[in-house]
Amino acid sequence: FNVTMKIRNSADAWGAVARGFHWVIAALILAQFVIGSVAEEMKLTPAKLDLFVWHKSIGVTILALAVLRLLWRLANPPPAMPAGTPRWEQRLAALGHWALYALIFVVPISGWLVSDASRVPFKAYFVLPMPDLIETSRSLQEAAEEVHEVLTMTLLVVVIVHITAALRHHFLLHDDVLRRMLTGRHSRD
């Protein structure tokens, strides 16, 4: 039983660090959708406020991981698309990936702006005080809430397209795109 874990990306497979960032951020985004939706539907209670602290804390975590993930990606080019992938599909895939990167930055930042504008005190994970980015303002809060909601829905759509594309590669095209992100292995490994 020989287990070799490749840390860095190779020409045809994702490394362990890139896969780790991918799946941890994906799980946190899923948690954000659930926590945010549940909290929005609750009446104003201490439990709702606590849930929003968790939502904001996870958002800050996603933002920090996004910075690290982007730095890792810049230092570790992604694997090539499967041979024979049409140029239009390669461009669309690149556009989709960069849209995901942009959204995992701007969605948490927009949420942070909502919190700052409302001036509800916020400590990440109930411990770490977060700096204020903007002044208290009801109109800024409302604008930031709208932006946050639109960006969140945009992220949801882009994530669904991303998952659909991965499943298309796996079940229809029968290539290694999904397997490389799940296992870090190419079919020739």
Side-chain angles (χ1 to χ4, degrees):
F1 182 65
N2 181 12
V3 175
T4 57
M5 187 180 325
K6 297 175 184 168
I7 300 297
R8 298 177 67 87
N9 301 338
S10 68
D12 55 15
W14 292 99
V17 173
R19 287 192 330 274
F21 280 132
H22 178 275
W23 292 112
V24 168
I25 291 172
L28 292 174
I29 288 171
L30 175 62
Q32 287 296 76
F33 282 122
V34 172
I35 292 169
S37 297
V38 168
E40 278 292 318
E41 296 302 315
M42 292 175 70
K43 292 183 178 173
L44 185 58
T45 63
K48 178 177 182 156
L49 296 176
D50 285 351
L51 208 50
F52 270 121
V53 169
W54 283 108
H55 182 75
K56 294 173 190 181
S57 298
I58 293 169
V60 169
T61 302
I62 290 171
L63 183 58
L65 289 172
V67 169
L68 295 173
R69 181 178 184 174
L70 181 61
L71 292 172
W72 185 259
R73 173 143 181 179
L74 294 173
N76 293 274
M81 293 288 288
T85 302
R87 200 150 177 77
W88 66 265
E89 191 173 340
Q90 291 179 32
R91 288 185 176 142
L92 215 56
L95 177 66
H97 283 108
W98 287 111
L100 282 169
Y101 276 97
L103 288 163
I104 63 175
F105 277 94
V106 297
V107 171
I109 291 169
S110 68
W112 194 339
L113 295 176
V114 170
S115 182
D116 274 2
S118 68
R119 206 45 85 224
V120 173
F122 169 56
K123 291 182 178 180
Y125 297 102
F126 302 92
V127 176
L128 180 65
M130 299 304 296
D132 294 333
L133 302 177
I134 59 174
E135 64 194 48
T136 302
S137 165
R138 183 73 178 146
S139 61
L140 281 176
Q141 177 189 352
E142 290 171 357
E145 285 172 349
E146 286 296 317
V147 168
H148 188 64
E149 188 173 321
V150 167
L151 290 173
T152 299
M153 291 300 105
T154 303
L155 176 59
L156 179 60
V157 169
V158 173
V159 165
I160 289 169
V161 170
H162 181 72
I163 292 168
T164 302
L167 294 174
R168 173 182 170 264
H169 277 276
H170 190 74
F171 292 110
L172 297 178
L173 301 179
H174 306 289
D175 62 28
D176 291 331
V177 168
L178 180 59
R179 185 179 304 113
R180 296 182 312 183
M181 186 50 79
L182 289 171
T183 66
R185 296 185 62 112
H186 190 271
S187 61
R188 292 173 294 180
D189 289 345

